[in-house]
Amino acid sequence: MTETKLKYDGDQGSREKVFLEHLIDSIPEAIAIIDNDGKIVIINREFTDLFGYTAQEATNRLIDDLILPEEMKSESISPEIIAAEKHKLTRQTTRSDKYGKRIQVSLIATNVLINDKVVASLGIYRDISQEKKNEIIQEILYNISTAALNQMDIKDIYPTIVQELSKIWDTSNFFIALYDRKTDSLSLPFFSDEKDKFEKVPARKTITKWAIGLKKSVLLKVNDLKNLENSGDISMVGTPCKVWMGVPLIADKEIIGVMAFQDYHDEDKFSQEDVNVFEFIGNQIAIAIQRRIMIDNVIQAGRKAEEAAASKQQFMSTMSHEIRTPLNEVIGITNLLLQGNPREDQMDFIKTLRFSGNHLLTLVNDVLDYNKMESGKIEFEQARFNLDAFLKDIMRTYSFRSKSKNLEFDIIKENDLPAEVIGDSIRLNQILSNLLSNALKFTQRGGIHVMIKEIERKKNNSSIEFIVRDTGIGIPKDKHEMIFESFTQASTDTTRHFGGTGLGLAICKKLVELQNGKIDVVSEPDRGSTFRFVLSFGIPESGSKVEAGESNESYSGLEGKRILVAEDNRINFFVANKFLIGWGVRVTHVENGKLALEILEKENFDLILMDLHMPVMDGIEATRIIRESEKPEIRSIPVVALTAAIMSESHDKIENLSINDYVLKPFKPRDLFEKILRNIK
Ligand code: ADP
């Protein structure tokens, strides 16, 4: 409109016209006023800026001839069309400028009405190409990073990259090259080219390699390429192109490759702005690829760690089982030797042998236990037991061991504890024994005190706190958490000085926590240690009596009883047999469950001692068949199981078997005797 500006001549009408011209020139949207024939009457400055036509060039021309693209002629907008939309039409569409370049615009077209008659219409255009482009770029980035996260295989993300980039550029000459520094070669996970075909090429003097060295994006036109070739920086592989646009893929400051577009016809195919956008997308792609590689690494590391853990567990389990069998034999034989009135000088050796055997067995059982807990295969018994009797047992064992180290030992009950509780006494014993053994081991002077207190009582439930306090070497504060982890000790020379594996506390913690309890320690070097844990127990309804652990000092009551021993291990049988015969029992021996069933059909027995692990037919299967027998005298026969550990994998099966009792191997003669006596017919 600048060129058609009217001079201000002082008259009122012209004055308003100048104001109007000024106003529409100041508006930042392109505006055209069009008469009823579709011819342009006035345009503003922004129209010139956007479409390239001066006012002179535009005035009196058909607006459709000027800016409506050829392929859109059918979409011409007439005053009638505008009228049909209540004289105001809004749409997002495309127009072209003087040079034919397509521009995405938002268009508002209105009719100018005088006395309800259309006298002209107004077009207001806003350039939204950039907005549109940004939207597309966002979409591209989103799709590429989603693909990078979701694709199982990194290779599968390259087709997505190409498909996405094709939304803004022509990808018929496009490639992604990954650079391998070690072999100085380029692999091409994606390569599309009108003229050439490559899959893997030595990087040497390619443009790609040159761009890798440059570490930034480049736009090279014919002349640039020629110059580079003349200076020896590159030597062309394949057909020379007119323009080359490439961006590096940089992950973790390392260049992992290059993405590039080429064109063989038009050296102006790509602009610096394209390079900027391409570089931005390239960075995001590199991040997506990098993230994908990282995730793959983490997944792989996780898988390896799992495999390693599983094989470690398997190894420990197998080893422990393997060691346990001969160990049971050694301990069994030692027990026998002790029974046989050895000479005074032999007694010491045999006792040491038994002590070491038992110690080794505890270690092996610890490892097995820990593995079981790690793999979550542990169940807790809910059986009724007498707390007083339980504590007396602990007292007996540890006061003796403390005395031999000249340490005080006491158990203090701080308030009224329930006489009987429901819980897993074997596990409780295991926790306390671990803590007490540590206390004994790490204390040279003073003593060990156990304190027990009920801290809360609800109807059928009692929370009981157990404290084990010693006056030993103590533990530095920064080690308090660590010592509860498996295979860790407070100091690296602990094993040298005191022995141990670092499993005890880890087991305690697991055992306490699996029963929803808590364990912690308060300790300082040289000031002793206090371990504390709280467990909750059920309280039985009063009335029914607990099975008292009444001890029978003599071994009488089994004389003349008939016991069938099903045990495949000869030495175990040998040991058991010695004791049984000593107690006056008539023993019959079979080597597996199948033979046991056969002999039961022919002879009567008062009880079966059944090993659970046997070849041909194990004790579990045999007991199941016995319990289903049609003959009442077979069905009701008491079965006492011999098992290597309470946690053996068959524990859950034992529960359903109505086995009357079990004796842990290596059996203590008193334990074996009492369990037989308690259950025999
Ligand atoms: P282990 O005793 O077999 O080494 P634990 O898991 O039972 O394994 O104990 C881990 C470590 O915690 C011990 O090696 C020791 O350093 C420290 N510790 C445990 N109990 C005590 C204690 N009562 N006094 C001092 N240090 C202890």
Side-chain angles (χ1 to χ4, degrees):
M1 182 138 98
T2 22
E3 270 105 312
T4 57
K5 207 169 256 174
L6 297 171
K7 287 248 159 40
Y8 170 55
D9 57 9
D11 114 339
Q12 186 59 28
S14 311
R15 199 183 144 102
E16 277 174 7
K17 209 165 179 187
V18 172
F19 275 138
L20 191 66
E21 280 172 6
H22 183 78
L23 183 68
I24 73 166
D25 263 350
S26 316
I27 293 175
E29 320 258 23
I31 296 174
I33 297 175
I34 302 138
D35 68 15
N36 281 346
D37 299 327
K39 284 193 182 143
I40 293 174
V41 184
I42 299 174
I43 59 164
N44 71 346
R45 209 175 260 151
E46 182 64 27
F47 190 97
T48 305
D49 288 350
L50 182 60
F51 296 110
Y53 296 102
T54 63
Q56 234 163 13
E57 288 167 332
T59 317
N60 271 325
R61 297 278 308 275
L62 284 172
I63 181 93
D64 285 357
D65 284 351
L66 227 52
I67 60 170
L68 189 66
E70 231 5 82
E71 69 277 10
M72 292 174 69
K73 290 296 179 213
S74 59
E75 291 177 37
S76 166
I77 294 169
S78 64
E80 292 74 44
I81 294 178
I82 305 175
E85 302 205 10
K86 297 193 181 135
H87 300 294
K88 183 176 180 187
L89 167 155
T90 317
R91 64 179 59 150
Q92 292 195 354
T93 177
T94 306
R95 291 294 180 261
S96 68
D97 70 3
K98 191 172 169 182
Y99 314 99
K101 190 179 135 212
R102 301 294 186 260
I103 304 170
Q104 304 248 297
V105 293
S106 113
L107 164 65
I108 299 174
T110 56
N111 283 335
V112 182
L113 300 173
I114 296 179
N115 294 334
D116 282 344
K117 277 191 74 182
V118 178
V119 294
S121 34
L122 196 72
I124 306 175
Y125 305 84
R126 186 162 59 84
D127 182 1
I128 54 167
S129 310
Q130 201 52 45
E131 278 167 40
K132 282 279 163 210
K133 201 162 184 179
N134 287 346
E135 261 173 42
I136 295 177
I137 292 172
Q138 284 306 324
E139 187 184 300
I140 291 176
L141 292 180
Y142 175 79
N143 290 344
I144 291 177
S145 22
T146 316
L149 285 181
N150 293 344
Q151 293 301 345
M152 294 300 282
D153 193 327
I154 177 103
K155 283 201 261 0
D156 297 337
I157 78 169
Y158 299 116
T160 312
I161 293 176
V162 179
Q163 186 195 329
E164 291 300 318
L165 290 181
S166 69
K167 287 179 181 167
I168 36 179
W169 291 297
D170 169 11
T171 47
S172 46
N173 292 295
F174 169 74
F175 66 84
I176 301 174
L178 298 180
Y179 179 56
D180 183 353
R181 195 169 295 279
K182 272 193 230 116
T183 58
D184 191 36
S185 63
L186 298 165
S187 57
L188 300 159
F190 183 86
F191 184 83
S192 152
D193 198 296
E194 291 168 19
K195 313 257 180 198
D196 301 321
K197 210 161 177 60
F198 300 109
E199 256 172 28
K200 199 172 168 106
V201 285
R204 275 180 284 168
K205 288 220 159 169
T206 53
I207 320 178
T208 312
K209 172 68 187 296
W210 180 81
I212 287 173
L214 205 63
K215 286 197 177 168
K216 55 182 191 190
S217 51
V218 277
L219 180 64
L220 300 169
K221 300 199 174 180
V222 180
N223 279 338
D224 306 317
L225 290 166
K226 273 200 190 116
N227 290 340
L228 282 172
E229 196 161 28
N230 291 340
S231 66
D233 284 329
I234 61 169
S235 65
M236 290 285 201
V237 184
T239 320
C241 59
K242 286 266 164 58
V243 59
W244 197 94
M245 169 171 83
V247 299
L249 294 169
I250 302 181
D252 237 1
K253 299 198 186 111
E254 273 275 315
I255 301 223
I256 55 172
V258 163
M259 288 193 303
F261 284 94
Q262 315 179 57
D263 196 81
Y264 292 104
H265 314 288
D266 175 10
E267 76 163 340
D268 292 321
K269 180 106 174 195
F270 306 108
S271 65
Q272 187 53 44
E273 201 209 313
D274 286 318
V275 178
N276 295 345
V277 174
F278 191 31
E279 184 178 272
F280 178 66
I281 296 178
N283 286 340
Q284 302 300 313
I285 290 177
I287 291 171
I289 294 179
Q290 167 80 348
R291 194 164 35 187
R292 178 70 226 186
I293 292 174
M294 251 163 58
I295 293 174
D296 285 350
N297 287 345
V298 170
I299 293 174
Q300 224 178 16
R303 212 174 283 146
K304 277 206 185 121
E306 258 170 40
E307 280 166 14
S311 69
K312 182 192 96 191
Q313 213 168 37
Q314 188 52 44
F315 172 75
M316 297 278 227
S317 231
T318 318
M319 277 307 287
S320 309
H321 274 300
E322 292 300 314
I323 294 169
R324 203 158 53 174
T325 312
L327 204 53
N328 282 338
E329 297 168 4
V330 171
I331 296 170
I333 298 277
T334 318
N335 280 334
L336 267 184
L337 286 173
L338 277 172
Q339 294 276 312
N341 287 330
R343 290 199 317 265
E344 196 62 27
D345 58 324
Q346 291 172 328
M347 193 71 157
D348 272 349
F349 293 134
I350 299 172
K351 278 195 175 155
T352 312
L353 188 61
R354 184 170 64 172
F355 178 81
S356 304
N358 277 325
H359 182 64
L360 194 52
L361 189 67
T362 317
L363 288 184
V364 170
N365 281 339
D366 271 2
V367 172
L368 267 182
D369 257 16
Y370 193 75
N371 276 338
K372 288 269 155 55
M373 284 183 241
E374 285 269 271
S375 51
K377 287 185 208 144
I378 172 171
E379 279 178 32
F380 291 91
E381 193 160 338
Q382 287 299 321
R384 187 168 174 160
F385 67 94
N386 185 304
L387 205 52
D388 259 340
F390 174 86
L391 293 174
K392 266 196 198 117
D393 268 347
I394 298 265
M395 185 75 194
R396 202 177 307 135
T397 317
Y398 288 93
S399 59
F400 179 74
R401 288 175 61 185
S402 305
K403 215 179 277 163
S404 63
K405 267 190 98 174
N406 268 329
L407 298 172
E408 286 170 29
F409 181 80
D410 52 30
I411 297 183
I412 303 158
K413 286 182 274 180
E414 297 200 354
N415 53 8
D416 261 351
L417 295 167
E420 286 174 9
V421 291
I422 298 172
D424 195 326
S425 59
I426 294 182
R427 294 297 169 199
L428 179 61
N429 187 6
Q430 200 178 355
I431 301 166
L432 279 170
S433 297
N434 266 324
L435 296 181
L436 286 167
S437 300
N438 278 346
L440 268 171
K441 185 157 76 171
F442 295 109
T443 307
Q444 308 305 335
R445 265 187 310 276
I448 295 157
H449 310 276
V450 179
M451 277 152 284
I452 300 169
K453 187 161 95 180
E454 181 176 56
I455 51 174
E456 190 180 31
R457 164 98 59 124
K458 284 186 196 145
K459 241 186 6 208
N460 293 322
N461 206 283
S462 168
S463 288
I464 302 180
E465 176 189 70
F466 298 83
I467 292 178
V468 176
R469 174 170 295 156
D470 66 50
T471 53
I473 61 170
I475 306 157
K477 228 187 165 72
D478 61 332
K479 299 288 188 319
H480 286 187
E481 252 178 57
M482 202 184 87
I483 53 168
F484 288 103
E485 286 163 21
S486 54
F487 305 110
T488 51
Q489 302 184 319
S491 135
T492 43
D493 57 4
T494 305
T495 304
R496 194 150 30 88
H497 289 309
F498 302 98
T501 55
L503 262 183
L505 288 178
I507 290 179
C508 286
K509 186 172 153 83
K510 280 250 148 98
L511 286 178
V512 170
E513 286 178 353
L514 287 171
Q515 298 182 86
N516 300 320
K518 262 201 197 128
I519 182 161
D520 54 36
V521 62
V522 177
S523 177
E524 263 178 61
D526 300 326
R527 318 265 314 245
S529 310
T530 303
F531 285 85
R532 189 190 87 104
F533 65 93
V534 177
L535 280 181
S536 89
F537 294 89
I539 299 177
E541 315 243 315
S542 53
S544 50
K545 259 193 72 184
V546 70
E547 284 175 22
E550 83 257 27
S551 82
N552 187 340
E553 283 310 317
S554 70
Y555 287 104
S556 63
L558 296 182
E559 295 82 356
K561 296 284 185 192
R562 289 150 308 168
I563 293 183
L564 174 65
V565 182
E567 163 70 83
D568 64 311
N569 182 305
R570 281 164 179 270
I571 298 181
N572 278 347
F573 171 71
F574 173 75
V575 176
N577 190 39
K578 279 271 176 198
F579 284 107
L580 293 170
I581 288 176
W583 302 329
V585 173
R586 285 155 57 196
V587 180
T588 305
H589 177 216
V590 288
E591 286 188 338
N592 63 52
K594 192 154 178 288
L595 296 174
L597 293 177
E598 282 171 20
I599 204 159
L600 279 174
E601 294 289 334
K602 291 183 238 152
E603 293 178 33
N604 288 328
F605 294 96
D606 299 308
L607 184 138
I608 308 175
L609 276 180
M610 180 84 83
D611 180 22
L612 291 184
H613 289 278
M614 284 183 293
V616 187
M617 181 191 284
D618 66 19
I620 294 171
E621 179 64 7
T623 310
R624 198 181 55 74
I625 297 174
I626 289 170
R627 291 295 180 242
E628 284 168 3
S629 166
E630 284 169 5
K631 297 185 182 160
E633 67 276 13
I634 294 184
R635 199 164 61 222
S636 64
I637 192 162
V639 175
V640 171
L642 294 170
T643 136
I646 180 177
M647 295 248 283
S648 89
E649 43 276 70
S650 30
H651 186 223
D652 39 346
K653 289 193 215 148
I654 300 174
E655 301 245 299
N656 310 325
L657 268 182
S658 52
I659 279 178
N660 299 63
D661 219 329
Y662 46 83
V663 176
L664 293 185
K665 289 196 279 190
F667 55 79
K668 300 191 182 89
R670 165 69 44 198
D671 186 35
L672 179 66
F673 179 81
E674 280 173 7
K675 296 235 163 106
I676 294 177
L677 189 66
R678 198 182 298 161
N679 291 291
I680 203 153
K681 276 193 196 164

